[in-house]
Amino acid sequence: GIQVEQSPPDLILQEGANSTLRCNFSDSVNNLQWFHQNPWGQLINLFYIPSGTKQNGRLSATTVATERYSLLYISSSQTTDSGVYFCAVPPGGYNKLIFGAGTRLAVHP
Amino acid sequence: GAGVSQTPSNKVTEKGKYVELRCDPISGHTALYWYRQSLGQGPEFLIYFQGTGAADDSGLPNDRFFAVRPEGSVSTLKIQRTERGDSAVYLCASSSQGGNGYTFGSGTRLTVV
């Protein structure tokens, strides 16, 4: 089945720093989603981004479907950005999502 | 409702017992999903409903797990003869279009002792 790899697995930032999280996937997909899981466990959908670039405030995401990767950019990080970031893709046109193992981000004041 | 509601938020049960976990999706969302998340891992797909029917149950680990959505809204995940390995957070999500723009609930943390 499709493999989803995220890097780095762990990231520690000082408040105000910028970062880039990467998601590689092993097969062609027709959509990709980025999620943030906060320290209380709530999963929030950040982006639905099958291709191209989208921006939402300090966050932006770019997916290059032909090269099978997506990037999530966090600018001017805040402590509330802490948590785990997951990317997820649907295998072969199915509606279910296959999640990566996540990037654990800690932003310190 | 405004979001996806899952009850209970926590459930502790003894090995061998039967449990039911409930998910109330966003009103009007036809697609409903169950996922399971173990500590330190990403969510793993269990089952997907489109309306009342299970369109994909390929993620259910064995026949002890079963889920229903009789009226196309609320769903119940049922686990028989629970085992310690079933301990995890069970997440429910819904969407208005299959596969896009998921909204997750807060999950039910199941602990089998």
Side-chain angles (χ1 to χ4, degrees), chain A residues 31 33 35 37 40-43 45 48 86 94-101 104, chain B residues 33 35 37 40-43 45 48 56 58 91 98-102 104-106:
Chain A
N31 85 64
Q33 300 189 41
F35 294 87
Q37 189 165 42
W40 296 271
Q42 180 69 50
L43 268 167
N45 191 306
Y48 164 74
F86 292 102
Y94 289 96
N95 288 312
K96 62 187 176 186
L97 292 178
I98 303 299
F99 283 76
R104 284 154 187 76
Chain B
Y33 308 81
Y35 285 78
Q37 187 175 24
Q41 299 181 17
F45 171 78
Y48 156 56
D56 183 351
S58 62
L91 295 163
N100 302 345
Y102 276 40
F104 275 91
S106 298

Side-chain angles (χ1 to χ4, degrees), chain B residues 39-55:
Chain B
L39 192 63
Q41 299 181 17
E44 293 179 304
F45 171 78
L46 295 177
I47 187 169
Y48 156 56
F49 287 91
Q50 184 60 248
T52 61

Side-chain angles (χ1 to χ4, degrees), chain A residues 7-76:
Chain A
S7 59
D10 296 280
L11 186 57
I12 299 174
L13 298 175
Q14 207 68 28
E15 200 167 30
N18 303 327
S19 64
T20 301
L21 282 57
R22 186 176 180 103
C23 173
N24 292 333
F25 42 96
S26 61
D27 206 349
S28 300
V29 297
N30 60 11
N31 85 64
L32 181 142
Q33 300 189 41
W34 282 98
F35 294 87
H36 174 225
Q37 189 165 42
N38 66 25
W40 296 271
Q42 180 69 50
L43 268 167
I44 304 295
N45 191 306
L46 298 175
F47 293 102
Y48 164 74
I49 183 164
S51 63
T53 296
K54 290 186 177 180
Q55 179 145 12
N56 184 357
R58 296 180 296 102
L59 302 182
S60 65
T62 295
T63 296
V64 183
T66 53
E67 297 187 21
R68 300 179 185 171
Y69 74 89
S70 183
L71 302 174
L72 179 68
Y73 305 94
I74 305 174
S75 64
S76 304

